[in-house]
Amino acid sequence: QVQLSESGGGSVQAGGSLRLSCAVPGHMYSGWYLGWFRQVPGKEREGVATMFSDSTFYSDSAKGRFIISRDSTKKTLFLQMTSLQSDDTGTYYCAADSRPKYATTRFDPQQWNYWGQGTQVTVSS
């Protein structure tokens, strides 16, 4: 059973920053896709940022404000979020999958098999 575990969520005022962390099983650092998604109650889960090896990809809303990265020594995936807005409020999930991802699929949650339990981010204006 693959286990991903997020941490680092919390409450922040608009304009603030947060860094999310996700503990990733060690074997996922070789040839696996890693990503961050978020979900608001009543809405579909949406992709925020994904990475494969050293390549990173961002949703339009995340570009210029969020950075996805990983620490192979610590087996941890990060999402550094800056200039947070109220629209960024939601539950953030890290995800992993071994199958190839493309422009049409990398932000589609249906294309990802392994998920963490989520961490809540609340941005107040």
Side-chain angles (χ1 to χ4, degrees):
Q1 179 73 25
V2 174
Q3 293 184 339
L4 302 166
S5 179
E6 304 94 336
S7 62
S11 298
V12 64
Q13 291 192 333
S17 300
L18 278 176
R19 188 176 79 159
L20 306 183
S21 301
C22 176
V24 179
H27 68 279
M28 291 184 178
Y29 277 87
S30 178
W32 282 65
Y33 293 75
L34 303 174
W36 287 97
F37 291 73
R38 67 186 179 194
Q39 189 167 23
V40 176
K43 294 188 177 181
E44 294 185 353
R45 192 169 297 186
E46 61 175 359
V48 174
T50 67
M51 69 184 304
F52 177 73
S53 186
D54 293 330
S55 297
T56 58
F57 308 92
Y58 298 92
S59 66
D60 288 342
S61 64
K63 284 178 184 176
R65 300 189 301 127
F66 295 0
I67 297 175
I68 185 172
S69 63
R70 64 182 184 175
D71 184 326
S72 297
T73 301
K74 298 179 180 179
K75 302 297 187 286
T76 303
L77 180 72
F78 299 103
L79 184 68
Q80 178 68 50
M81 305 186 293
T82 61
S83 300
L84 284 163
Q85 307 163 1
S86 56
D87 287 349
D88 296 315
T89 294
T91 302
Y92 282 70
Y93 299 89
C94 67
D97 199 89
S98 61
R99 299 168 296 175
K101 301 288 180 281
Y102 306 99
T104 56
T105 60
R106 63 173 61 104
F107 292 132
D108 180 357
Q110 300 299 323
Q111 302 299 320
W112 296 73
N113 271 337
Y114 302 100
W115 297 88
Q117 80 288 350
T119 186
Q120 178 66 34
V121 172
T122 302
V123 183
S124 57
S125 56

